[in-house]
Amino acid sequence: RSELSSLHNLSRLVTQVFDFKDLVNTVTHMTREVCGAQSAWLEMIREGKEKENRTYDVVGMNNISEDQIAIISANEEFSLRKLVIESKKVLLVDEVSTDRRTRHLKQHGIRFGSLLSVPLVSHEQIIGILHATKDIEYGFDQDDIEVLTTFADHVTIAIENSRLIAQSLERERYRQEMMVARDMQKRLLPQKFPSNRSF
């Protein structure tokens, strides 16, 4: 019931929340609610001209620090981001402390039991990754994976809507500025042709 209620709330969010910051904060909060996660964060991916020039921005987090996220992402040998981007599939780590992709976290004092990373896919392109952790090993079951995958689809739509609205507002702002500039220029010009015998 809780999962269905959270998904219903997110569906409403898609049509009601237009501010990007509010949206991502709500998403990370609801991610924890949906599957009883210990922590959650959302990172967006910006594609550069070359694939190597991708940039990653952590745009929302809940019950986790930026330093902890940086350590999780620092493993060059087994980059969780890279694995998710290349496969475009959900990544599940059942035992964080023993899995070769995440065992480096233990030496940094980060103690998660399990970790789940879900890609946000728009038009066959990954635009972000939603991460969740639990303090117990094998904490995410198949139901959690299915619910978070559905949740991620809704999040993708909400983010795309938010971006489109932001672009639309920006265009409208430019249009208004152009109108003001045009009016100011008109006022600088004489309103009627000067009458002078010398001309």
Side-chain angles (χ1 to χ4, degrees):
R1 246 185 272 125
S2 167
E3 289 167 358
L4 283 171
S5 171
S6 295
L7 285 173
H8 175 68
N9 288 339
L10 185 66
S11 297
R12 280 202 330 226
L13 191 72
V14 170
T15 56
Q16 290 174 2
V17 178
F18 303 126
D19 181 74
F20 184 76
K21 195 169 184 178
D22 287 347
L23 178 64
V24 294
N25 287 337
T26 305
V27 164
T28 52
H29 171 75
M30 288 179 73
T31 298
R32 288 186 65 201
E33 258 185 32
V34 161
C35 60
Q38 173 191 353
S39 61
W41 69 98
L42 175 65
E43 59 182 340
M44 301 304 295
I45 300 165
R46 279 188 294 192
E47 292 285 347
K49 288 182 182 175
E50 304 292 325
K51 280 193 176 178
E52 304 82 51
N53 296 337
R54 279 191 189 113
T55 55
Y56 306 93
D57 301 317
V58 176
V59 292
M61 63 190 104
N62 194 297
N63 202 33
I64 190 167
S65 70
E66 281 186 48
D67 290 341
Q68 287 175 313
I69 294 168
I71 291 165
I72 293 165
S73 307
N75 189 351
E76 290 298 320
E77 189 183 354
F78 300 110
S79 168
L80 299 180
R81 279 179 187 150
K82 191 177 174 186
L83 292 168
V84 173
I85 290 167
E86 285 176 357
S87 68
K88 292 185 181 176
K89 290 179 182 171
V90 171
L91 174 73
L92 175 63
V93 179
D94 282 319
E95 295 179 78
V96 169
S97 60
T98 57
D99 194 294
R100 60 185 184 157
R101 297 167 294 185
T102 52
R103 63 182 172 214
H104 70 285
L105 301 180
K106 199 174 181 180
Q107 68 196 42
H108 293 285
I110 297 175
R111 306 198 179 277
F112 299 134
S114 45
L115 184 145
L116 182 66
S117 299
V118 184
L120 307 183
V121 183
S122 174
H123 307 292
E124 297 184 11
Q125 200 72 10
I126 293 187
I127 63 164
I129 305 171
L130 181 61
H131 305 272
T133 68
K134 287 194 179 184
D135 53 0
I136 56 168
E137 294 178 350
Y138 293 90
F140 295 98
D141 58 22
Q142 192 56 41
D143 284 347
D144 289 330
I145 294 168
E146 286 172 10
V147 166
L148 270 185
T149 303
T150 305
F151 190 76
D153 291 340
H154 287 288
V155 171
T156 304
I157 294 165
I159 287 170
E160 290 293 331
N161 284 351
S162 171
R163 283 176 170 175
L164 288 170
I165 287 162
Q167 287 170 4
S168 177
L169 290 172
E170 189 70 7
R171 275 197 300 270
E172 181 59 24
R173 188 176 67 80
Y174 282 137
R175 197 182 73 80
Q176 292 290 340
E177 285 178 5
M178 292 294 284
M179 296 281 284
V180 169
R182 188 188 69 176
D183 290 345
M184 285 174 72
Q185 283 179 335
K186 271 187 174 179
R187 287 190 192 121
L188 290 172
L189 296 170
Q191 297 304 303
K192 56 185 181 181
F193 197 77
S195 177
N196 189 314
R197 287 180 184 175
S198 304
F199 294 149

